[in-house]
């Protein structure tokens, strides 16, 4: 895997089931439960822009503030994102979402979810 991340085109084979993940700790700003995250960084550019990788999160609920535009392709699990203005986005396997910079609200993970993401 190390060679694929050092490629001129960094890549991870079988990203939907890849299991060589790193512990990213407990989700901050918990409201209910204690979600934990694991993941694998695929690429991080200068000043962390862009950043892309795999993120896996266990059930729980927490406050969320998205600092930069973020594209997410959810490949397993389910969650509900509720913005501070009341909009609800339900996600499950095969859902793609583009969160705009500054999005704030709550995330409730119902079933451990996996997403392939890119922050720009």
């Amino acid at each position: 895997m190390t060679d694929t991340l050092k490629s001129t085109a960094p890549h991870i084979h079988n990203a939907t089931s890849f299991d060589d993940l790193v512990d990213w700790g407990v989700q901050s700003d918990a409201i209910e439960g204690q979600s934990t995250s694991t993941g694998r960084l695929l690429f991080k550019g200068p000043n962390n822009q862009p950043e892309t990788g795999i993120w896996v999160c266990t059930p729980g609920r927490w406050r969320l503030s998205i600092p930069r535009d973020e594209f997410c392709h959810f490949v397993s699990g389910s969650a509900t994102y509720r913005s501070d203005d009341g909009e609800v986005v339900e996600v499950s396997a095969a859902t793609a979402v583009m969160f705009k910079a500054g999005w704030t609200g709550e995330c409730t993970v119902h079933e451990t979810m996996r997403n392939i993401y890119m922050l720009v």
Side-chain angles (χ1 to χ4, degrees):
M1 197 235 1
T2 303
D3 293 337
T4 65
L5 294 180
K6 291 182 179 180
S7 167
T8 58
H11 56 285
I12 294 175
H13 293 280
N14 300 313
T16 59
S17 60
F18 183 80
D19 65 359
D20 185 15
L21 305 176
V22 175
D23 181 3
W24 287 356
V26 175
Q27 206 58 39
S28 63
D29 296 329
I31 297 170
E32 182 179 302
Q34 189 176 39
S35 294
T36 59
S37 296
T38 56
R40 177 61 69 173
L41 191 61
L42 175 60
F43 178 78
K44 191 178 274 200
N47 299 318
N48 299 329
Q49 295 180 333
E51 175 186 320
T52 187
I54 300 168
W55 178 60
V56 177
C57 188
T58 63
R61 186 170 133 224
W62 69 91
R63 288 284 309 157
L64 178 62
S65 178
I66 298 179
R68 303 188 314 259
D69 288 344
E70 181 174 5
F71 173 77
C72 300
H73 176 208
F74 295 88
V75 297
S76 66
S78 65
T80 302
Y81 287 82
R82 183 180 308 275
S83 71
D84 286 340
D85 66 7
E87 182 181 12
V88 175
V89 178
E90 299 287 345
V91 301
S92 58
T95 302
V97 180
M98 176 62 202
F99 291 102
K100 294 179 183 176
W103 189 99
T104 59
E106 294 181 2
C107 177
T108 303
V109 177
H110 309 291
E111 178 186 357
T112 298
M113 67 176 173
R114 174 184 289 248
N115 101 45
I116 312 301
Y117 72 91
M118 177 176 266
L119 285 155
V120 293

